[in-house]
Amino acid sequence: MGIFSMILGFFGFGFGVCIGLVIGYFLFIYVQRSDVQDPDIRPLAEHDTETLQRMLPEIPLWVKNPDYDRVDWLNKFIQYMWPYLDKAICKTVRNIVKPIIAEQIPQYKIDSVDFEALTLGSLPPTFQGMKVYSTDEKELIIEPALKWGGNPNVMVAVKAFGLKATVQVVDLQVFASPRITMKPLVPSFPCFANIFVSLMEKPHVDFGLKLVGADLMSLPGLYRFVQEMIKDQVGNLYLWPRTLEVPILDPAKAMRRPVGILYVKVLRAAKLKKKDLLGASDPYVKLKLTEDSAPSKKTTVKHKNLNPEWNEEFNLVVRDPQTQALELRVYDWEQVGNHDKMGMNMVALKDVVPEEPKFMTLDLLKNMDPNDVQNEKSRGQIELQVIYKPFKEEDLRKEYGDNSTMVASAPQGTPAGGGVLVVILHEAQDLEGKYHNNPSVRMIFKGEEKRTRTVKKNRDPRWEEEFQFVAEVPPTNDRLHVEVYSTSSRNLLHPKESLGYVDVSLADVVNNKRINEKYHLIDSKNGQIQIELQWRTAN
């Protein structure tokens, strides 16, 4: 009887399954709705805000704000490098934090504070977008939108009074919008001297804190208190306009900015050799600093004199007293043809004691090769006085620090009211030459002329060259003549043409100490030139 019941049950189950499958198939085929409409497909721009939020719960910042650029390449780079960055960052944190902890724990009677575990986890931060600002200053400003939902494992063991407590930080979330300013830009790697970091808004920081296995953040009121405390403390320190300054390079050395002035007085020469056919010479002296593109300065010509006296003074701007040297060359002036060389010598600035006058008598040599036997031949002597007066350290820090509107003072000993006019030629735009476009700039201040290099075949040249003019009195009523011109050796009919000029009044520079502006060029259709001017006065 039992076997018979089992066989009937088996057949009944199989029959029921078959009947169910057949009925379900016919219901699926023939009982579907026949009034199904096609989906409504519309562009995203035609949807309302609520529909877009349902479709896209988190819209990237570069979509919402056109000022932000996509940086997917940067996120991929960080993702690939994250295992190595994790170790490098953690190692750096250990090296920085350990000395600070060792210095602070004796005040609180703590035996030790050690990292039992320190890793940033496997999830790297991502940048939702990045905004880049362009200014007329020598700086680069970026604003990345940072989001990091990481899984770090930071365990800190604290030992005190024979007890040990372990605190663990987990599940970290950081949302921040920092502004990173790299300035000043310099021609030495990594091409910026300082980094300034500030937060444009209070950051969002969320994390779990475990003590003896229990999550402290689950305590009533503690989570909100910690959140607000972190936001307030970080905001008080780094919320814009407050900044965190990270020095990278010494800007004075990296930019080869002036660090002082060398005062040279060419006194006289003696026992010079005859160069002319009539048994005399017409000597004059050219002097300049090595590693400087500024043109040489010259004394007057003393005709038919083998023991001339000049007593003429010159001011030379020093950029690096450890490597630069004063180069003196004596020539015999010729009315026709090249001037004959009579001798030369050099004075290393590192051998000149600052602020102390130094009188010296130098033998004239053929060249500076100590092994050249021709230097043993007598060519005469030259006497001079040199004084090196460096700028003050605090003035240099003011100029190259955070406040870019400050400039250094002129060196001590500068005549009352005198100073140095610094001219920095940055760039020009939309230059239009009728015959050629090989622009260079000529500057004239009180009869002294200086020139930039030539940039060939360029309507938007960039020079980034600096020049200095020493003035005995403030140039309140003077003007700086700046002319852009183009030269070409191939065009014989028009080898030189003017691309425009501007006369800059120096009254604003004297009053404001520094200006950085773009000027429209006269006699040019659309040409502009960016000039930075500084007036460094004596204390």
Side-chain angles (χ1 to χ4, degrees):
M1 189 68 180
I3 297 175
F4 183 73
S5 300
M6 183 182 66
I7 294 173
L8 289 178
F10 176 77
F11 282 104
F13 175 78
F15 181 76
V17 169
C18 294
I19 293 300
L21 290 175
V22 172
I23 295 173
Y25 173 77
F26 278 95
L27 290 176
F28 180 77
I29 296 298
Y30 295 103
V31 190
Q32 290 188 2
R33 296 179 56 183
S34 59
D35 59 344
V36 177
Q37 299 179 357
D38 294 332
D40 184 13
I41 300 177
R42 292 184 297 167
L44 290 177
E46 298 181 3
H47 289 276
D48 56 13
T49 304
E50 296 181 359
T51 305
L52 287 176
Q53 289 180 349
R54 288 195 302 268
M55 296 172 59
L56 301 171
E58 184 176 357
I59 302 176
L61 191 59
W62 55 267
V63 175
K64 296 185 292 185
N65 193 332
D67 292 339
Y68 282 83
D69 298 323
R70 297 181 65 176
V71 285
D72 294 343
W73 64 270
L74 181 58
N75 292 327
K76 291 181 180 178
F77 172 79
I78 295 176
Q79 182 179 7
Y80 182 80
M81 293 293 296
W82 185 244
Y84 309 98
L85 292 173
D86 178 18
K87 296 179 181 179
I89 294 174
C90 292
K91 182 179 180 181
T92 303
V93 170
R94 288 178 183 269
N95 295 334
I96 295 176
V97 171
K98 279 187 177 181
I100 299 176
I101 293 176
E103 181 181 355
Q104 296 295 329
I105 59 176
Q107 303 177 10
Y108 303 97
K109 297 182 180 181
I110 298 176
D111 297 335
S112 66
V113 177
D114 298 319
F115 286 102
E116 289 191 350
L118 179 57
T119 175
L120 300 181
S122 59
L123 302 176
T126 59
F127 292 94
Q128 304 299 306
M130 186 175 297
K131 184 191 297 184
V132 181
Y133 291 90
S134 60
T135 66
D136 293 335
E137 303 295 337
K138 290 185 177 180
E139 61 184 7
L140 174 63
I141 303 176
I142 59 175
E143 285 187 10
L146 174 67
K147 286 190 176 183
W148 183 29
N151 53 347
N153 183 21
V154 181
M155 296 182 63
V156 180
V158 181
K159 295 181 180 180
F161 305 105
L163 301 176
K164 177 182 177 182
T166 302
V167 180
Q168 183 179 12
V169 179
V170 295
D171 299 333
L172 178 64
Q173 289 186 357
V174 178
F175 302 159
S177 299
R179 170 176 289 182
I180 303 174
T181 304
M182 292 164 277
K183 69 176 183 180
L185 302 180
V186 297
S188 301
F189 190 79
C191 300
F192 51 87
N194 298 289
I195 299 177
F196 299 91
V197 182
S198 58
L199 297 174
M200 304 311 296
E201 57 186 23
K202 291 185 178 181
H204 169 77
V205 181
D206 188 9
F207 58 91
L209 191 63
K210 293 185 177 181
L211 178 63
V212 197
D215 189 359
L216 296 180
M217 290 302 174
S218 61
L219 296 177
L222 181 61
Y223 175 78
R224 183 173 296 276
F225 171 76
V226 173
Q227 286 280 325
E228 295 300 325
M229 183 181 66
I230 292 176
K231 289 183 178 180
D232 293 340
Q233 292 297 324
V234 175
N236 292 336
L237 292 175
Y238 306 121
L239 191 63
W240 193 87
R242 299 179 180 88
T243 60
L244 170 65
E245 179 180 357
V246 182
I248 305 297
L249 298 174
D250 183 354
K253 294 182 179 179
M255 300 182 70
R256 292 188 60 81
R257 294 279 191 171
V259 296
I261 293 182
L262 181 69
Y263 294 86
V264 182
K265 185 175 183 179
V266 181
L267 300 175
R268 62 187 65 86
K271 301 178 182 180
L272 299 179
K273 297 304 177 183
K274 301 175 182 179
K275 290 290 184 179
D276 296 342
L277 295 177
L278 299 179
S281 295
D282 306 316
Y284 70 94
V285 182
K286 293 177 66 175
L287 60 159
K288 64 172 297 184
L289 292 177
T290 58
E291 303 178 8
D292 196 340
S293 59
S296 302
K297 302 199 175 192
K298 303 178 183 179
T299 65
T300 57
V301 179
K302 300 297 182 179
H303 294 282
K304 298 181 180 180
N305 197 331
L306 299 180
N307 298 283
E309 288 199 17
W310 289 284
N311 293 313
E312 298 181 17
E313 298 180 358
F314 303 90
N315 302 328
L316 303 174
V317 178
V318 179
R319 299 175 183 273
D320 189 352
Q322 296 301 317
T323 60
Q324 287 186 291
L326 173 64
E327 181 182 282
L328 301 119
R329 295 180 181 269
V330 182
Y331 289 87
D332 175 37
W333 179 83
E334 297 290 346
Q335 189 171 4
V336 179
N338 295 330
H339 299 180
D340 297 328
K341 297 179 181 179
M342 303 184 68
M344 66 166 297
N345 211 321
M346 300 178 69
V347 179
L349 296 190
K350 64 181 180 181
D351 298 331
V352 179
V353 180
E355 306 290 349
E356 292 186 9
K358 185 175 183 178
F359 294 86
M360 55 185 67
T361 302
L362 304 175
D363 293 327
L364 294 178
L365 308 174
K366 181 180 180 181
N367 53 53
M368 297 307 298
D369 185 1
N371 299 322
D372 194 340
V373 295
Q374 296 188 23
N375 286 330
E376 299 177 1
K377 182 179 178 180
S378 176
R379 290 178 170 80
Q381 295 178 330
I382 185 171
E383 297 181 18
L384 66 152
Q385 176 190 359
V386 297
I387 305 175
Y388 171 55
K389 295 187 176 182
F391 297 135
K392 290 186 176 182
E393 290 292 335
E394 56 267 25
D395 294 329
L396 290 175
R397 284 194 295 269
K398 287 180 182 180
E399 179 183 6
Y400 305 119
D402 185 20
N403 191 352
S404 60
T405 62
M406 300 296 293
V407 297
S409 298
Q412 293 183 357
T414 301
V420 178
L421 176 65
V422 180
V423 183
I424 304 176
L425 269 299
H426 290 293
E427 61 180 352
Q429 296 175 348
D430 298 328
L431 301 180
E432 298 180 7
K434 186 176 180 181
Y435 304 102
H436 38 76
N437 275 305
N438 303 316
S440 60
V441 180
R442 180 181 67 170
M443 295 156 288
I444 301 177
F445 173 70
K446 290 187 175 181
E448 186 177 358
E449 181 177 323
K450 297 182 184 292
R451 299 172 184 263
T452 66
R453 72 181 191 278
T454 300
V455 181
K456 294 185 178 181
K457 298 180 180 180
N458 199 324
R459 293 184 56 191
D460 303 306
R462 191 175 186 89
W463 293 284
E464 297 296 345
E465 295 187 31
E466 179 180 309
F467 305 88
Q468 297 84 31
F469 300 90
V470 179
E472 298 294 329
V473 295
T476 307
N477 300 320
D478 295 312
R479 289 178 175 270
L480 176 69
H481 179 75
V482 180
E483 180 183 2
V484 184
Y485 62 95
S486 174
T487 57
S488 176
S489 58
R490 297 182 179 181
N491 193 324
L492 300 180
L493 295 178
H494 303 90
K496 180 178 179 180
E497 65 172 314
S498 176
L499 303 180
Y501 71 93
V502 63
D503 291 322
V504 182
S505 175
L506 300 178
D508 291 340
V509 186
V510 175
N511 295 328
N512 300 325
K513 302 302 181 183
R514 177 183 180 272
I515 60 174
N516 185 11
E517 296 182 2
K518 288 184 178 180
Y519 299 90
H520 291 275
L521 294 172
I522 301 175
D523 293 341
S524 176
K525 185 176 181 180
N526 299 310
Q528 292 182 328
I529 186 169
Q530 182 182 349
I531 307 174
E532 180 180 347
L533 300 172
Q534 299 178 10
W535 173 242
R536 298 176 180 172
T537 58
N539 291 329

PDB file of all heavy atoms in Angstrom, residues 42 71 130 134 159 170 183 208 225 253 271 297 305 315 336 339 360 369 377 393 398 432 448 464 467:
ATOM      1  N   ARG A  42      14.378  62.062 -24.547  1.00  0.00           N
ATOM      2  CA  ARG A  42      14.580  63.483 -24.745  1.00  0.00           C
ATOM      3  C   ARG A  42      16.003  63.854 -24.338  1.00  0.00           C
ATOM      4  O   ARG A  42      16.625  63.189 -23.500  1.00  0.00           O
ATOM      5  CB  ARG A  42      13.585  64.288 -23.899  1.00  0.00           C
ATOM      6  CG  ARG A  42      12.131  64.154 -24.344  1.00  0.00           C
ATOM      7  CD  ARG A  42      11.252  65.067 -23.510  1.00  0.00           C
ATOM      8  NE  ARG A  42      11.268  64.691 -22.099  1.00  0.00           N
ATOM      9  CZ  ARG A  42      10.802  65.450 -21.115  1.00  0.00           C
ATOM     10  NH1 ARG A  42      10.283  66.637 -21.401  1.00  0.00           N
ATOM     11  NH2 ARG A  42      10.843  65.035 -19.871  1.00  0.00           N
ATOM     12  N   VAL A  71      39.814  66.010 -15.006  1.00  0.00           N
ATOM     13  CA  VAL A  71      41.177  65.546 -14.721  1.00  0.00           C
ATOM     14  C   VAL A  71      41.170  64.028 -14.554  1.00  0.00           C
ATOM     15  O   VAL A  71      41.744  63.489 -13.597  1.00  0.00           O
ATOM     16  CB  VAL A  71      41.766  66.248 -13.471  1.00  0.00           C
ATOM     17  CG1 VAL A  71      42.163  67.676 -13.774  1.00  0.00           C
ATOM     18  CG2 VAL A  71      40.770  66.205 -12.314  1.00  0.00           C
ATOM     19  N   MET A 130      39.123  70.537 -11.690  1.00  0.00           N
ATOM     20  CA  MET A 130      40.190  71.448 -11.306  1.00  0.00           C
ATOM     21  C   MET A 130      40.019  72.756 -12.061  1.00  0.00           C
ATOM     22  O   MET A 130      39.782  72.779 -13.268  1.00  0.00           O
ATOM     23  CB  MET A 130      41.565  70.834 -11.596  1.00  0.00           C
ATOM     24  CG  MET A 130      42.726  71.683 -11.091  1.00  0.00           C
ATOM     25  SD  MET A 130      44.330  70.874 -11.326  1.00  0.00           S
ATOM     26  CE  MET A 130      44.124  69.424 -10.265  1.00  0.00           C
ATOM     27  N   SER A 134      44.492  82.345 -14.417  1.00  0.00           N
ATOM     28  CA  SER A 134      45.596  83.014 -15.116  1.00  0.00           C
ATOM     29  C   SER A 134      45.651  84.457 -14.640  1.00  0.00           C
ATOM     30  O   SER A 134      44.641  85.168 -14.643  1.00  0.00           O
ATOM     31  CB  SER A 134      45.386  82.963 -16.629  1.00  0.00           C
ATOM     32  OG  SER A 134      44.183  83.603 -16.995  1.00  0.00           O
ATOM     33  N   LYS A 159      51.102  54.677  25.929  1.00  0.00           N
ATOM     34  CA  LYS A 159      51.467  54.047  27.187  1.00  0.00           C
ATOM     35  C   LYS A 159      51.710  55.110  28.247  1.00  0.00           C
ATOM     36  O   LYS A 159      52.484  56.044  28.026  1.00  0.00           O
ATOM     37  CB  LYS A 159      52.718  53.185  27.025  1.00  0.00           C
ATOM     38  CG  LYS A 159      52.537  51.988  26.098  1.00  0.00           C
ATOM     39  CD  LYS A 159      53.817  51.171  26.013  1.00  0.00           C
ATOM     40  CE  LYS A 159      53.634  49.975  25.092  1.00  0.00           C
ATOM     41  NZ  LYS A 159      54.886  49.156  24.991  1.00  0.00           N
ATOM     42  N   VAL A 170      39.425  54.677  11.441  1.00  0.00           N
ATOM     43  CA  VAL A 170      38.953  53.896  10.287  1.00  0.00           C
ATOM     44  C   VAL A 170      37.913  54.711   9.533  1.00  0.00           C
ATOM     45  O   VAL A 170      37.383  55.712  10.035  1.00  0.00           O
ATOM     46  CB  VAL A 170      38.347  52.548  10.732  1.00  0.00           C
ATOM     47  CG1 VAL A 170      39.420  51.659  11.367  1.00  0.00           C
ATOM     48  CG2 VAL A 170      37.196  52.769  11.724  1.00  0.00           C
ATOM     49  N   LYS A 183      54.183  80.217  -6.376  1.00  0.00           N
ATOM     50  CA  LYS A 183      54.800  81.483  -6.766  1.00  0.00           C
ATOM     51  C   LYS A 183      56.032  81.747  -5.905  1.00  0.00           C
ATOM     52  O   LYS A 183      56.138  81.204  -4.798  1.00  0.00           O
ATOM     53  CB  LYS A 183      53.809  82.628  -6.634  1.00  0.00           C
ATOM     54  CG  LYS A 183      53.418  82.981  -5.182  1.00  0.00           C
ATOM     55  CD  LYS A 183      52.514  84.185  -5.148  1.00  0.00           C
ATOM     56  CE  LYS A 183      52.204  84.576  -3.691  1.00  0.00           C
ATOM     57  NZ  LYS A 183      51.337  85.745  -3.615  1.00  0.00           N
ATOM     58  N   GLY A 208      35.787  57.109  11.689  1.00  0.00           N
ATOM     59  CA  GLY A 208      35.457  56.298  12.853  1.00  0.00           C
ATOM     60  C   GLY A 208      36.647  56.233  13.795  1.00  0.00           C
ATOM     61  O   GLY A 208      37.794  56.137  13.361  1.00  0.00           O
ATOM     62  N   PHE A 225      30.211  67.059  17.908  1.00  0.00           N
ATOM     63  CA  PHE A 225      31.207  67.904  18.557  1.00  0.00           C
ATOM     64  C   PHE A 225      32.560  67.803  17.858  1.00  0.00           C
ATOM     65  O   PHE A 225      33.219  68.817  17.595  1.00  0.00           O
ATOM     66  CB  PHE A 225      31.344  67.489  20.035  1.00  0.00           C
ATOM     67  CG  PHE A 225      32.493  68.166  20.735  1.00  0.00           C
ATOM     68  CD1 PHE A 225      32.403  69.485  21.137  1.00  0.00           C
ATOM     69  CD2 PHE A 225      33.671  67.465  20.983  1.00  0.00           C
ATOM     70  CE1 PHE A 225      33.464  70.101  21.782  1.00  0.00           C
ATOM     71  CE2 PHE A 225      34.724  68.067  21.622  1.00  0.00           C
ATOM     72  CZ  PHE A 225      34.630  69.396  22.026  1.00  0.00           C
ATOM     73  N   LYS A 253      67.978  83.316  -5.180  1.00  0.00           N
ATOM     74  CA  LYS A 253      68.976  82.582  -5.955  1.00  0.00           C
ATOM     75  C   LYS A 253      68.354  81.935  -7.183  1.00  0.00           C
ATOM     76  O   LYS A 253      68.965  81.888  -8.244  1.00  0.00           O
ATOM     77  CB  LYS A 253      69.631  81.515  -5.080  1.00  0.00           C
ATOM     78  CG  LYS A 253      70.468  82.089  -3.941  1.00  0.00           C
ATOM     79  CD  LYS A 253      71.130  80.988  -3.132  1.00  0.00           C
ATOM     80  CE  LYS A 253      71.981  81.562  -2.014  1.00  0.00           C
ATOM     81  NZ  LYS A 253      72.623  80.501  -1.201  1.00  0.00           N
ATOM     82  N   LYS A 271     101.943 103.007 -16.767  1.00  0.00           N
ATOM     83  CA  LYS A 271     102.911 102.233 -17.542  1.00  0.00           C
ATOM     84  C   LYS A 271     102.238 101.410 -18.648  1.00  0.00           C
ATOM     85  O   LYS A 271     102.578 100.249 -18.872  1.00  0.00           O
ATOM     86  CB  LYS A 271     103.713 101.310 -16.630  1.00  0.00           C
ATOM     87  CG  LYS A 271     104.478 102.039 -15.531  1.00  0.00           C
ATOM     88  CD  LYS A 271     105.214 101.065 -14.634  1.00  0.00           C
ATOM     89  CE  LYS A 271     105.940 101.790 -13.507  1.00  0.00           C
ATOM     90  NZ  LYS A 271     106.668 100.849 -12.609  1.00  0.00           N
ATOM     91  N   LYS A 297      80.051  98.832 -19.200  1.00  0.00           N
ATOM     92  CA  LYS A 297      80.133 100.261 -18.960  1.00  0.00           C
ATOM     93  C   LYS A 297      81.544 100.740 -19.324  1.00  0.00           C
ATOM     94  O   LYS A 297      82.510  99.990 -19.190  1.00  0.00           O
ATOM     95  CB  LYS A 297      79.793 100.581 -17.513  1.00  0.00           C
ATOM     96  CG  LYS A 297      78.416 100.088 -17.117  1.00  0.00           C
ATOM     97  CD  LYS A 297      77.872 100.760 -15.889  1.00  0.00           C
ATOM     98  CE  LYS A 297      76.444 100.315 -15.622  1.00  0.00           C
ATOM     99  NZ  LYS A 297      75.761 101.126 -14.630  1.00  0.00           N
ATOM    100  N   ASN A 305      97.899 109.223 -23.931  1.00  0.00           N
ATOM    101  CA  ASN A 305      98.271 109.213 -22.516  1.00  0.00           C
ATOM    102  C   ASN A 305      98.564 107.787 -22.099  1.00  0.00           C
ATOM    103  O   ASN A 305      97.701 106.909 -22.235  1.00  0.00           O
ATOM    104  CB  ASN A 305      97.138 109.804 -21.668  1.00  0.00           C
ATOM    105  CG  ASN A 305      97.599 110.192 -20.278  1.00  0.00           C
ATOM    106  OD1 ASN A 305      98.525 109.606 -19.735  1.00  0.00           O
ATOM    107  ND2 ASN A 305      96.925 111.182 -19.702  1.00  0.00           N
ATOM    108  N   ASN A 315      78.129 101.985 -11.079  1.00  0.00           N
ATOM    109  CA  ASN A 315      77.326 101.127 -10.209  1.00  0.00           C
ATOM    110  C   ASN A 315      76.897  99.898 -10.985  1.00  0.00           C
ATOM    111  O   ASN A 315      76.295 100.016 -12.060  1.00  0.00           O
ATOM    112  CB  ASN A 315      76.088 101.868  -9.703  1.00  0.00           C
ATOM    113  CG  ASN A 315      76.450 103.126  -8.941  1.00  0.00           C
ATOM    114  OD1 ASN A 315      77.489 103.193  -8.288  1.00  0.00           O
ATOM    115  ND2 ASN A 315      75.596 104.138  -9.019  1.00  0.00           N
ATOM    116  N   VAL A 336      89.291 104.531 -36.688  1.00  0.00           N
ATOM    117  CA  VAL A 336      88.898 103.648 -37.776  1.00  0.00           C
ATOM    118  C   VAL A 336      89.334 102.235 -37.426  1.00  0.00           C
ATOM    119  O   VAL A 336      90.477 102.016 -36.994  1.00  0.00           O
ATOM    120  CB  VAL A 336      89.525 104.088 -39.120  1.00  0.00           C
ATOM    121  CG1 VAL A 336      89.112 103.132 -40.231  1.00  0.00           C
ATOM    122  CG2 VAL A 336      89.124 105.519 -39.463  1.00  0.00           C
ATOM    123  N   HIS A 339      89.197  98.443 -32.008  1.00  0.00           N
ATOM    124  CA  HIS A 339      90.020  98.982 -30.940  1.00  0.00           C
ATOM    125  C   HIS A 339      90.974  97.893 -30.447  1.00  0.00           C
ATOM    126  O   HIS A 339      90.575  96.735 -30.267  1.00  0.00           O
ATOM    127  CB  HIS A 339      89.145  99.490 -29.795  1.00  0.00           C
ATOM    128  CG  HIS A 339      88.216 100.593 -30.215  1.00  0.00           C
ATOM    129  ND1 HIS A 339      87.345 101.198 -29.345  1.00  0.00           N
ATOM    130  CD2 HIS A 339      88.028 101.206 -31.410  1.00  0.00           C
ATOM    131  CE1 HIS A 339      86.642 102.115 -29.985  1.00  0.00           C
ATOM    132  NE2 HIS A 339      87.047 102.131 -31.244  1.00  0.00           N
ATOM    133  N   MET A 360      92.812  98.589  -4.826  1.00  0.00           N
ATOM    134  CA  MET A 360      93.654  97.547  -5.384  1.00  0.00           C
ATOM    135  C   MET A 360      94.344  98.046  -6.641  1.00  0.00           C
ATOM    136  O   MET A 360      93.830  98.906  -7.372  1.00  0.00           O
ATOM    137  CB  MET A 360      92.820  96.289  -5.684  1.00  0.00           C
ATOM    138  CG  MET A 360      91.621  96.507  -6.575  1.00  0.00           C
ATOM    139  SD  MET A 360      90.618  95.007  -6.750  1.00  0.00           S
ATOM    140  CE  MET A 360      89.989  94.853  -5.071  1.00  0.00           C
ATOM    141  N   ASP A 369      94.331  82.937 -18.205  1.00  0.00           N
ATOM    142  CA  ASP A 369      94.923  81.605 -18.142  1.00  0.00           C
ATOM    143  C   ASP A 369      96.219  81.681 -17.346  1.00  0.00           C
ATOM    144  O   ASP A 369      97.195  82.320 -17.788  1.00  0.00           O
ATOM    145  CB  ASP A 369      95.191  81.081 -19.549  1.00  0.00           C
ATOM    146  CG  ASP A 369      95.693  79.645 -19.544  1.00  0.00           C
ATOM    147  OD1 ASP A 369      95.822  79.056 -18.445  1.00  0.00           O
ATOM    148  OD2 ASP A 369      95.960  79.102 -20.640  1.00  0.00           O
ATOM    149  N   LYS A 377     104.573  89.039 -19.529  1.00  0.00           N
ATOM    150  CA  LYS A 377     104.997  90.290 -20.168  1.00  0.00           C
ATOM    151  C   LYS A 377     104.279  91.460 -19.504  1.00  0.00           C
ATOM    152  O   LYS A 377     103.089  91.415 -19.232  1.00  0.00           O
ATOM    153  CB  LYS A 377     104.668  90.236 -21.655  1.00  0.00           C
ATOM    154  CG  LYS A 377     105.098  91.465 -22.416  1.00  0.00           C
ATOM    155  CD  LYS A 377     104.747  91.322 -23.891  1.00  0.00           C
ATOM    156  CE  LYS A 377     105.122  92.581 -24.657  1.00  0.00           C
ATOM    157  NZ  LYS A 377     104.784  92.479 -26.102  1.00  0.00           N
ATOM    158  N   GLU A 393      68.695  91.472   4.423  1.00  0.00           N
ATOM    159  CA  GLU A 393      67.998  90.191   4.357  1.00  0.00           C
ATOM    160  C   GLU A 393      66.497  90.358   4.535  1.00  0.00           C
ATOM    161  O   GLU A 393      65.701  89.724   3.850  1.00  0.00           O
ATOM    162  CB  GLU A 393      68.541  89.225   5.417  1.00  0.00           C
ATOM    163  CG  GLU A 393      69.946  88.728   5.149  1.00  0.00           C
ATOM    164  CD  GLU A 393      69.987  87.826   3.927  1.00  0.00           C
ATOM    165  OE1 GLU A 393      68.952  87.221   3.605  1.00  0.00           O
ATOM    166  OE2 GLU A 393      71.047  87.751   3.287  1.00  0.00           O
ATOM    167  N   LYS A 398      60.952  90.280   2.264  1.00  0.00           N
ATOM    168  CA  LYS A 398      59.714  90.981   1.941  1.00  0.00           C
ATOM    169  C   LYS A 398      59.401  90.878   0.462  1.00  0.00           C
ATOM    170  O   LYS A 398      58.276  90.668   0.047  1.00  0.00           O
ATOM    171  CB  LYS A 398      59.822  92.458   2.342  1.00  0.00           C
ATOM    172  CG  LYS A 398      59.754  92.706   3.840  1.00  0.00           C
ATOM    173  CD  LYS A 398      59.865  94.178   4.124  1.00  0.00           C
ATOM    174  CE  LYS A 398      59.839  94.457   5.630  1.00  0.00           C
ATOM    175  NZ  LYS A 398      59.962  95.916   5.899  1.00  0.00           N
ATOM    176  N   GLU A 432      52.358  93.401 -34.926  1.00  0.00           N
ATOM    177  CA  GLU A 432      52.154  93.269 -36.365  1.00  0.00           C
ATOM    178  C   GLU A 432      53.229  94.055 -37.100  1.00  0.00           C
ATOM    179  O   GLU A 432      53.204  95.286 -37.121  1.00  0.00           O
ATOM    180  CB  GLU A 432      50.760  93.777 -36.762  1.00  0.00           C
ATOM    181  CG  GLU A 432      49.619  92.988 -36.127  1.00  0.00           C
ATOM    182  CD  GLU A 432      48.260  93.511 -36.546  1.00  0.00           C
ATOM    183  OE1 GLU A 432      48.228  94.398 -37.432  1.00  0.00           O
ATOM    184  OE2 GLU A 432      47.251  93.053 -35.997  1.00  0.00           O
ATOM    185  N   GLU A 448      70.395 106.335 -20.633  1.00  0.00           N
ATOM    186  CA  GLU A 448      70.963 104.987 -20.550  1.00  0.00           C
ATOM    187  C   GLU A 448      70.040 104.008 -21.277  1.00  0.00           C
ATOM    188  O   GLU A 448      68.841 103.982 -21.027  1.00  0.00           O
ATOM    189  CB  GLU A 448      71.144 104.566 -19.096  1.00  0.00           C
ATOM    190  CG  GLU A 448      71.859 103.228 -18.940  1.00  0.00           C
ATOM    191  CD  GLU A 448      72.092 102.863 -17.488  1.00  0.00           C
ATOM    192  OE1 GLU A 448      71.721 103.671 -16.594  1.00  0.00           O
ATOM    193  OE2 GLU A 448      72.642 101.774 -17.237  1.00  0.00           O
ATOM    194  N   GLU A 464      60.705  87.775 -20.324  1.00  0.00           N
ATOM    195  CA  GLU A 464      60.982  87.532 -18.902  1.00  0.00           C
ATOM    196  C   GLU A 464      62.421  87.946 -18.569  1.00  0.00           C
ATOM    197  O   GLU A 464      63.191  87.210 -17.955  1.00  0.00           O
ATOM    198  CB  GLU A 464      60.751  86.059 -18.547  1.00  0.00           C
ATOM    199  CG  GLU A 464      59.320  85.581 -18.724  1.00  0.00           C
ATOM    200  CD  GLU A 464      58.336  86.276 -17.810  1.00  0.00           C
ATOM    201  OE1 GLU A 464      58.786  86.930 -16.841  1.00  0.00           O
ATOM    202  OE2 GLU A 464      57.124  86.200 -18.073  1.00  0.00           O
ATOM    203  N   PHE A 467      65.996  94.312 -15.934  1.00  0.00           N
ATOM    204  CA  PHE A 467      67.028  95.322 -16.099  1.00  0.00           C
ATOM    205  C   PHE A 467      66.957  96.292 -14.932  1.00  0.00           C
ATOM    206  O   PHE A 467      65.893  96.474 -14.322  1.00  0.00           O
ATOM    207  CB  PHE A 467      66.852  96.069 -17.422  1.00  0.00           C
ATOM    208  CG  PHE A 467      66.809  95.172 -18.632  1.00  0.00           C
ATOM    209  CD1 PHE A 467      65.597  94.639 -19.068  1.00  0.00           C
ATOM    210  CD2 PHE A 467      67.961  94.842 -19.303  1.00  0.00           C
ATOM    211  CE1 PHE A 467      65.548  93.808 -20.170  1.00  0.00           C
ATOM    212  CE2 PHE A 467      67.926  94.005 -20.404  1.00  0.00           C
ATOM    213  CZ  PHE A 467      66.724  93.485 -20.841  1.00  0.00           C
TER     214      PHE A 467
END
